[in-house]
Amino acid sequence: MLPLCHILTARGISIFYNEDAEKIFTTFVKNLLLVLPLLQIPMSFYFGFIHQRGVIRVTDYLYGHISTEDRVLFLMPCHSTPLYSHIHKNATLHFLECSQPNYEAVDKSDVFYQNVLSQTDSYLSNGRGYSYVTCFSTLLE
């Protein structure tokens, strides 16, 4: 945004140095106003349909496969999945605690990502018996 502001304010400054600057600037702005909306179309397609579509797919999958007796564990950063707004079932969903940390407390998701293996082991060995465990593929590497 800041570079665009510099370009737009350059008009006022350039008029002091060049009489043809007004015509050049007007042509540039017209071209810019034509190109910028055209760039928004592929970006909106990418961010609307492709970027982070995995979290929607996993909740759609769980919607079709879980029952009220199932327990699902989400090992993902805070608020990265839509959970109940997509699943619409009274299943037990566990996820990393995302409460607002105060100055002394540490966020549970930060603790999890500092030592993934031991934290995953502690979540899975607590005796709750999860039917599904969901995580990003980067945790498996």
Side-chain angles (χ1 to χ4, degrees):
M1 191 70 185
L2 189 59
L4 186 60
C5 292
H6 287 127
I7 291 170
L8 294 176
T9 57
R11 175 181 177 244
I13 295 170
S14 65
I15 290 174
F16 291 113
Y17 299 106
N18 189 356
E19 292 88 25
D20 295 331
E22 180 79 29
K23 183 178 177 184
I24 294 169
F25 182 77
T26 304
T27 306
F28 175 74
V29 169
K30 285 180 183 177
N31 291 336
L32 188 67
L33 291 177
L34 178 68
V35 169
L36 284 179
L38 293 176
L39 288 175
Q40 296 296 318
I41 294 169
M43 286 179 16
S44 62
F45 176 79
Y46 173 75
F47 286 115
F49 295 109
I50 298 171
H51 182 68
Q52 291 192 351
R53 65 181 170 200
V55 294
I56 303 297
R57 281 188 176 174
V58 76
T59 51
D60 290 341
Y61 173 84
L62 289 172
Y63 173 74
H65 289 84
I66 64 172
S67 64
T68 56
E69 294 85 26
D70 288 329
R71 300 172 75 83
V72 182
L73 175 63
F74 289 91
L75 297 176
M76 298 178 174
C78 297
H79 310 293
S80 61
T81 54
L83 295 178
Y84 288 109
S85 66
H86 273 64
I87 294 177
H88 301 290
K89 292 188 179 180
N90 195 17
T92 305
L93 305 177
H94 294 274
F95 46 90
L96 300 175
E97 186 178 322
C98 300
S99 60
Q100 288 287 14
N102 56 21
Y103 292 109
E104 293 83 29
V106 179
D107 190 5
K108 297 268 187 180
S109 63
D110 291 338
V111 172
F112 175 77
Y113 282 103
Q114 287 173 356
N115 195 349
V116 174
L117 290 177
S118 68
Q119 292 294 320
T120 303
D121 187 45
S122 69
Y123 275 103
L124 296 177
S125 65
N126 64 7
R128 291 188 177 164
Y130 296 107
S131 307
Y132 297 92
V133 177
T134 316
C135 67
F136 289 122
S137 62
T138 55
L139 290 179
L140 301 174
E141 297 172 354

